[in-house]
Amino acid sequence: MRRALGLTGLTFFGVTYMTVITVFTTYGIVNQVTGGKLPAAYIVAVVTMLFTAASYAAMVRKYPVAGSAYTYAQQSFGGGPGFLTGWVMLLDYLFIPMINFMLIGIYLNTQFPAVPVWVFTLAALLLVLLFNVLGITLVNKLNIAIIALSVLLVIVFVVLAFKQYLGGDQSVGVLDPFTFGEGGIGAIASGAAILAMSFLGFDAVSTLSEEAKNPRRDIPRAIMLSTLVGGFFFILVAWAGALAFTPDWASLSDAQIEAAGTTVMDSFGADWFTALFVAVYVAGAFGSGMTGQVSVSRILYAMGRDGMLPKPLSKLHHRFGTPAVAAVVVSVFALSALFVPFDTVAFMISFGALAAFAMVNLSVIRSYLFPKGGRARPATFGEVLRYGVAPAIGFALTIWLWTSLQPVTWIVGLAWLIIGVGVIAIVTKGFRKPVPKMDFSEGDPTTQQIDALGDEFPLEGNRG
């Protein structure tokens, strides 16, 4: 692939993937679950994600290649656990473009009710496929424009929200949205678990390791920066909205919950702002869907290259250098956005994301403190804190959120995992052959390419 992205481009990619107005993607669902305590749920989610983002940063220094959690778990625990991690992670990556296409249709239909939702959804899907095939440079330029529009909308929204709060009913205290509601910490955890999908941007950044100019230096920085920037805007928007608009969320219709953004904007009594919000939100959803498809096509590319999925997935477009076959496969899967329920898609994204996050935290502990073949020297106190304690905290917090998801999510997720075991059985001829994985030995061409990067972070633990 072409190395075209620096720190700024990578950070923009991560923030665009999260999109600073993605708060309104699950705004209604999480407010229902938490009893209007969306900001509190975001605080819990941000803290958890910062620990996990640090683990991603540590792993990408060791393995700066495409594949994300799939590669990290594969190199740390073996081909089987690695593939199953990537397989479960495919849930969130395959559903991310889908939910954005659905949202584009839902929100545009609120402004143009004569046009069916599916028409907007299908048009967005085809445009995203086109941009993905054309290449990462074009995607990067679109990301910058989308972020600028999103930040502008957020600023206007926050100003209007606080103006409405200060000039109206102030029965809700300024800090009330950050407290636990009637559901207690359990409801907040359930909400935070759903919000995990909002932070997939830092995982998406790690999938671009083979398209970054200096992956070991810039990818870790971009992961942390995108998490901090995205988390700040999420909390700010959720807080402003909670002060300005406090309905009985349980009494709202399904349509009002799914398009909660317009429900909130309508409360301002300014039609022009609702129209502006829909326009910018659709642009943000388009950008998120576009970057989401870019990321999942790279994961399918990595799995195809390793032999765990059909080899055609690893083919690059002869002119643009992009995994075009993988992009088409993702688009075909995304067609199910035309009939799958919205809330089901949201829950499944979080299931796959949290499963991958948990494995990445464990991979740091294994790779840095207990590498294959043993360490050349005992770990220092600082290394134990950085590569042992911090990932362990991230793992515990992630598992806590993961177990807070709804039961139906677990049923679908476990069924998907069983299918993944079946794929392994087919590839390994009934588990008689080892699961294929990328070779990081000295003679492997991929390793030689990585070593040629020439930065200060050496490969450890999987040499020879």
Side-chain angles (χ1 to χ4, degrees), residues 83-155:
F83 174 77
L84 290 178
T85 298
W87 182 255
V88 174
M89 185 175 64
L90 280 178
L91 276 177
D92 56 79
Y93 272 116
L94 287 171
F95 280 118
I96 273 286
M98 185 192 305
I99 199 171
N100 281 288
F101 301 147
M102 294 172 72
L103 287 165
I104 289 172
I106 290 170
Y107 275 95
L108 283 178
N109 179 256
T110 64
Q111 303 300 301
F112 306 98
V115 182
V117 170
W118 70 266
V119 173
F120 293 120
T121 298
L122 183 60
L125 186 155
L126 295 175
L127 277 175
V128 163
L129 173 60
L130 174 63
F131 286 134
N132 192 4
V133 172
L134 290 178
I136 195 68
T137 303
L138 176 60
V139 171
N140 186 39
K141 292 177 180 177
L142 289 173
N143 287 346
I144 296 173
I146 290 170
I147 289 178
L149 286 172
S150 300
V151 170
L152 177 63
L153 178 75
V154 165
I155 293 172

Side-chain angles (χ1 to χ4, degrees), residues 49-64 72 202-203 206 215-225 227 360-361 364 368 386-387 457:
M49 293 306 112
L50 283 174
F51 279 102
T52 301
S55 291
Y56 269 86
M59 291 307 297
V60 81
R61 291 190 185 103
K62 186 176 287 290
Y63 304 113
Y72 308 150
F202 66 74
D203 185 288
S206 70
R216 285 202 180 103
R217 185 193 67 188
D218 291 340
I219 294 283
R221 295 176 181 178
I223 286 173
M224 298 304 295
L225 282 173
T227 305
V360 172
N361 281 305
V364 173
Y368 280 89
R386 184 177 182 183
Y387 303 124
F457 300 101

Side-chain angles (χ1 to χ4, degrees), residues 164-364:
Q164 178 163 301
Y165 174 72
L166 295 174
D169 181 14
Q170 298 183 25
S171 58
V172 177
V174 173
L175 297 180
D176 282 355
F178 296 101
T179 61
F180 299 152
E182 295 181 359
I185 187 63
I188 299 300
S190 295
I194 299 171
L195 295 176
M197 63 174 285
S198 302
F199 293 89
L200 280 168
F202 66 74
D203 185 288
V205 171
S206 70
T207 68
L208 299 178
S209 294
E210 294 183 39
E211 290 163 278
K213 296 176 182 177
N214 195 334
R216 285 202 180 103
R217 185 193 67 188
D218 291 340
I219 294 283
R221 295 176 181 178
I223 286 173
M224 298 304 295
L225 282 173
S226 59
T227 305
L228 288 169
V229 171
F232 169 76
F233 279 109
F234 293 158
I235 294 170
L236 177 62
V237 174
W239 180 42
L243 294 178
F245 184 65
T246 56
D248 178 8
W249 288 99
S251 67
L252 298 183
S253 66
D254 289 343
Q256 289 175 310
I257 292 298
E258 290 180 355
T262 56
T263 304
V264 177
M265 303 308 158
D266 287 342
S267 71
F268 294 150
D271 293 341
W272 67 268
F273 186 65
T274 301
L276 174 64
F277 165 77
V278 171
V280 177
Y281 185 87
V282 167
F286 185 86
S288 183
M290 181 172 56
T291 50
Q293 191 182 73
V294 167
S295 297
V296 71
S297 61
R298 270 65 177 169
I299 294 172
L300 291 176
Y301 162 80
M303 288 184 170
R305 181 176 60 186
D306 291 348
M308 285 305 298
L309 292 179
K311 282 292 184 182
L313 291 172
S314 64
K315 290 186 178 180
L316 299 178
H317 192 280
H318 68 281
R319 177 179 177 185
F320 302 112
T322 53
V325 175
V328 171
V329 170
V330 176
S331 295
V332 171
F333 181 86
L335 286 173
S336 56
L338 302 177
F339 55 84
V340 175
F342 178 83
D343 55 351
T344 299
V345 175
F347 290 135
M348 293 318 304
I349 292 172
S350 294
F351 180 91
L354 290 169
F357 294 168
M359 283 302 295
V360 172
N361 281 305
L362 289 181
S363 296
V364 173

